[in-house]
Every structure is written in C-alpha cells, then in structure tokens.
Amino acid sequence: MRMKTKLIHGGVDGDPQTGAVVFPIYQVSTYKQETIGKHKGYEYSRTGNPTRNAVEQYIADIEGGVRGFAFSSGMAALSSIIMLFNQGDHIVCGDDVYGGTYRVLSKVFARLGIQVTFVDTTDVAKVETAIQDNTKAVMLETPSNPLMNVTDIGAISEVCQAKGLKLIVDNTFMTPYWQNPLSLGADIVYHSATKYLGGHSDVVSGLVVVKDEQLGQDLHFIQNSVGGVLGPQDSFILLRGMKTLGVRMEEHEQNARRISQWLSERSDIVKVYYPGLPGHPGHDIQKQQARGFGGTFSFDVGSAERAERLLDRVNIFTLAESLGAVESLISVPARMTHASIPAERRAQLGITDGLVRVSIGIEDVEDLLEDLEQGLK
Ligand SMILES: *Cc1c(COP(=O)(O)O)cnc(C)c1O
C-alpha cells in the first residue's frame, strides 16, 4: 500500500466485530474474565484498551515499526522513553529541541540521575565528541524547533550503531507522511500527536513506535507501570484526524513553500528559516531523507517590538502556541514555547526576540499572504 492508502486502510481497518467502518470507542476500564486469567486479550484499560490499541497498531504501521504506543501527551511519551534508561546513564540530545524536552531532561531526569549533554546534532563530530562511556542514547529532532536545523539521521545512526547506542528521533514536524526515521536507522521514533497527526487542535497526545520486539516489550512495561496512557475518546479523535494526514500535509507544504519564498524576497525580513528554500543549509539533506519540508517555519523580523506588532495586527493567523493544525498559528518562541530555555542559551542558539514562528494552515494562501503583508507594514 502507498502512503495515502495506508493512512485510510492501515492498522486495524474498521471494527472486525461488527463491520463498522470506523473503529468504535471502547469507553471501558475493565474486562470480564471467564476463569482467572482467561480473557479475550484485555484485562484492564491501563494495560490495554481496544480503541487505544487501534491507534497504536495504526501508527506502527504507517511509521514502519513493530509496535506502537499511545500516551496522554508528547511529553508523557518522551518521559516513558527516557524511563527505559537507568540512573547513571547519559544521553546526548540536540541543543535546538522543543522547550519542554529541554526542561524535562535538564530539570526532572537530571535530578533523578540520568545525565544529558545538549549538542548541535547537525554536526556529527560534535555528537561523537559528546559520547561518554556511560552514554546510552542519542536524541534528536529534525527539522529542529524553532530554527529548522536539519540533522542527517543516517549519519547519526551510523555513529550510534558503531557505539551500541539507541537513536531516538522526535518526528513531530515531519510526520510519517514525509519522513520515516526507523527506515533511516533510528530505534525509537516519537511524536507529539497533538500537532500534525491530530491536526485539528482538539486533542493532546503522544505516539511512539519502536523498531524491534524487545524495545516493544520494554516500553509496554513502562507504559503499563507508569500509566500515562491515552484515553479511548482521545484515541478515537486522533484516529479520525490522522486519516486526512496526507491531504493536509500536501496543503500545509504548498502554502508554506509559497509564504517562505515570499518572505525571503522581502527586504524587511532579516532571515527565513525554512528547509524548503534552496539557500537553507539543510536543504540537500532534507531532500535526501524526507519526501517534503513541512508546514512550520520561522523568520526573523529584526526586533521584539516588530514581532509584537506583527502578532497584534494579524487577523487570520491566530496568536497561539502549538502547531500542525488546519488553522494558521503565529508565535514568538523566545517568549512562548521556548521561554523555559534560559535567555543566555536562547541567544547562543539564535532564538532572538524578533524570531517569529508560523505554523501554516490550509487556508487559501492569498488570504495568508495578505494578512502577513498588512501585519508587516
Ligand atoms: C509539542 C511538542 C512536543 C511535546 O508534545 P505535547 O503533546 O505538547 O506534550 C514535543 N516535541 C515537539 C517537536 C513538539 O512540537
């Protein structure tokens, strides 16, 4: 099956019990056992729930892995992945990652004894240098957030294989429609499904897919032990949203290409960070390892005042955190999503106060261009 067909018919296709073409919501916590331990595969919904199972099989299928897991948020998904490791273990993580990823690693897991070093993963040599005797994994996000730096997943995976490290990739920005990290050598791929996978700003969720059965068993043990599972209603909403991922991603991308090009031709924009632009440093790697460039990007308008004015003036773009839904969103990372990163670090990374991030929706592109034009005037 090709990708758009798989998005409609992949995983559990409908309900085998009744023939319902859509998998139903099993709003249930426990399951009858005929005799002790004899049941139909479900005992208790933290351990397993049919609707959650449907979304888990579906994401495993479309990411090309052996087993999928659905969590109550992207951060719950990531935290469960980190719990695969032990006190004293060390992780090398990208330095331009989602603010919440930086926060949970540096403020929560570091306190529990899992060490982390943040490096620029676009530079393979820097990743190699950061590896210590106790390093167990490399974690990266590509394209990164908000600067859209592109990491060569295959090159990092070679380093990981040589040293016996797990490679963990946050695929939120690309989605399995454009990029499949497992096929490029990653061991674990995860998503904030709150973003493009859900796609309609109506559900918070996280999905994980693993490469092999052992990791599947280990992560199921954590999921069942820690319990940050996705509920049946949210699993249903997520399944519904994901069916249109293909058509949505095509539209997001077309609009994003047009708008990023338009911005890059303006003399009043300092810089546009979109890997789809030929001048972007990650453009060639992106073309090799992914099928598209996505619908989210950033641009620098030069100052905090100008960014604030733009955000005040836009009408169609909504000033909000998050990304990846049908409506266009606009934000200032330094003061919103990335505010938990210390100012000094933000400056080092290039997340200036004039940096504006847009998640381009699927509205008519002319309306979006007119909105930005009047906002930038
Ligand atoms: C939003 C986001 C997360 C966190 O996911 P939640 O669903 O908000 O918990 C992680 N990584 C990236 C790239 C994100 O954009």
Side-chain angles (χ1 to χ4, degrees), residues 73-75 98 101 141 145 170 172-173 192 194-195 204-205 323:
S73 69
M75 294 321 297
Y98 178 69
T101 300
E141 208 176 298
N145 180 15
D170 182 334
T172 302
F173 270 47
S192 168
T194 314
K195 315 294 166 57
V204 172
S205 52
L323 60 104

Side-chain angles (χ1 to χ4, degrees), residues 201-249:
S201 301
D202 53 10
V203 65
V204 172
S205 52
L207 294 176
V208 183
V209 181
V210 296
K211 186 178 82 171
D212 62 44
E213 193 49 47
Q214 186 59 52
L215 274 171
Q217 283 176 22
D218 294 348
L219 192 59
H220 184 257
F221 182 81
I222 301 282
Q223 186 191 39
N224 186 40
S225 303
V226 179
V229 294
L230 192 65
Q233 305 263 356
D234 285 349
S235 297
F236 179 88
I237 292 173
L238 186 53
L239 274 169
R240 179 183 164 121
M242 285 169 73
K243 297 226 166 153
T244 56
L245 182 69
V247 286
R248 286 188 284 110
M249 291 314 286

